[in-house]
Amino acid sequence: MTDLELKSTSTAIMKPEVKTPRSTRAVMVGNVRIGGPEFAVIAGPCSIESHSQFSETATAVKAAGACLLRGGVWKMRTDVKAFQGLGSEAFQFMHQVLNETGLGLVSEVTDPRQIEMLDDYVVMYQVGARNMFNYSLLKELGQTRKPVLLKRSFSALIDEWIKAADYVAHGGNENIILCERGIRTFETKTRYTFDLNAVIWAKQNSHFPVIVDPSHAIGIRDMVAPVAFAAAAVGADGVIVEVHPRPAEALSDGKQSLTIPDFKQMMKTIERILEATDRPLLKV
Ligand code: PEP
Ligand code: MN
């Protein structure tokens, strides 16, 4: 009998209610498992800009230990005049890059019609923050069996985020990974406000794996890695980060993109944090 139990029986004080965290249901994403004991690092450019940029980034992040690749084909930009992604033009060289690195790709679907078009290239569909409330898109993704990375909208309550995941699950696709990517608050110094509380809440109260996007959450290159470290320390299942070989030339999100040396450095520290918390890095 523990001290606490002894005390409660002897004094008839009610035992404090100890909440048992829900266990995470791991999701197979291509040939990697997210939501097990391992910590997953997904990395790549914000947007796929050219064959050479995608290939250079993919090769570098693979060598530094990423287990999956990210890269936007269609972009959801606030400004209609901003780069909207290469779209299907990128298909001309994507297979070649993916075959060269052997990494699976995560890419965003901004419209239900893109699900079929991307199917041949991705191991996981991404739903962006701006589409978390797009229930027709979520329903369509529920009809597939491919994993869905569901970003939290910057204006969504945790409850709305979980209910959006239920839309996908309701169609029969239980392969869902949640991603916290920062919310809007009154603060303007950083791009968004990273909600670490939400990560901890979702880990303890849902069975979905939870990863973190520090790049969009904070929006400032030199502050991206510390957010990733916090995520690793509190038990997130992984991170998804933006990397560009020459961020100053990036067509989107250069300010928050890590350089290749930055990414390598981040990986080294993540490994040390994982070691301290008895968790392995997910390796491919
Ligand atoms: C992205 O990951 O490319 C992206 C646009 O992120 P978010 O939807 O979180 O803004
Ligand atoms: Mn981006």
Side-chain angles (χ1 to χ4, degrees):
M1 199 176 260
T2 65
D3 287 347
L4 196 61
E5 283 167 333
L6 268 175
K7 197 171 171 202
S8 69
T9 44
S10 59
T11 59
I13 295 170
M14 271 186 37
K15 277 189 202 171
E17 194 188 317
V18 180
K19 198 168 180 344
T20 315
R22 291 184 71 168
S23 57
T24 302
R25 226 187 280 149
V27 172
M28 281 309 295
V29 182
N31 58 358
V32 308
R33 182 186 59 168
I34 298 188
E38 304 87 1
F39 186 82
V41 177
I42 307 172
C46 174
S47 306
I48 298 175
E49 300 171 358
S50 66
H51 189 162
S52 60
Q53 171 255 13
F54 189 41
S55 167
E56 188 179 350
T57 317
T59 310
V61 299
K62 161 94 193 271
C67 66
L68 290 168
L69 197 55
R70 65 150 287 147
V73 171
W74 289 282
K75 301 300 299 176
M76 295 285 285
R77 306 305 299 279
T78 304
D79 186 344
V80 69
K81 294 194 188 112
F83 177 62
Q84 302 285 314
L86 286 182
S88 52
E89 233 182 87
F91 296 161
Q92 290 167 22
F93 55 82
M94 278 165 62
H95 271 147
Q96 197 181 328
V97 173
L98 299 176
N99 291 339
E100 272 162 19
T101 60
L103 290 182
L105 178 70
V106 184
S107 195
E108 181 172 350
V109 275
T110 63
D111 180 305
R113 288 167 294 187
Q114 293 161 1
I115 296 172
E116 212 183 313
M117 292 169 80
L118 265 189
D119 186 44
D120 204 23
Y121 300 91
V122 298
V123 290
M124 176 154 67
Y125 296 113
Q126 178 175 319
V127 174
R130 289 159 188 79
N131 262 323
M132 191 212 85
F133 288 109
N134 183 341
Y135 298 121
S136 47
L137 178 63
L138 300 178
K139 279 184 190 166
E140 282 297 321
L141 288 165
Q143 297 306 309
T144 76
R145 291 298 173 262
K146 210 166 245 187
V148 174
L149 181 64
L150 181 63
K151 294 251 192 133
R152 179 185 180 191
S153 162
F154 37 76
S155 62
L157 298 174
I158 295 172
D159 194 44
E160 291 168 322
W161 185 30
I162 305 286
K163 285 195 164 108
D166 290 341
Y167 259 90
V168 179
H170 190 72
N173 186 359
E174 303 264 355
N175 300 312
I176 301 157
I177 297 174
L178 300 176
C179 179
E180 157 60 29
R181 49 77 72 212
I183 53 170
R184 274 219 173 117
T185 64
F186 50 79
E187 187 51 72
T188 56
K189 288 278 186 230
T190 55
R191 189 173 180 189
Y192 294 93
T193 296
F194 175 56
D195 187 1
L196 192 60
N197 293 359
V199 178
I200 298 164
W201 195 97
K203 277 300 291 176
Q204 294 205 4
N205 293 283
S206 85
H207 58 255
F208 302 116
V210 182
I211 72 162
V212 161
D213 173 349
S215 309
H216 292 88
I218 200 155
I220 303 165
R221 179 177 314 114
D222 291 346
M223 299 177 188
V224 167
V227 177
F229 302 154
V234 299
D237 294 294
V239 287
I240 178 166
V241 286
E242 292 183 338
V243 178
H244 197 289
R246 288 162 296 282
E249 293 171 18
L251 299 180
S252 61
D253 287 348
K255 281 192 193 147
Q256 67 198 32
S257 296
L258 298 180
T259 63
I260 289 160
D262 289 337
F263 180 67
K264 285 187 189 154
Q265 188 56 46
M266 185 192 86
M267 291 300 284
K268 278 192 198 150
T269 310
I270 285 182
E271 288 218 59
R272 292 183 55 209
I273 293 168
L274 294 176
E275 237 173 75
T277 52
D278 281 334
R279 295 179 67 199
L281 180 72
L282 207 167
K283 293 196 169 132
V284 282

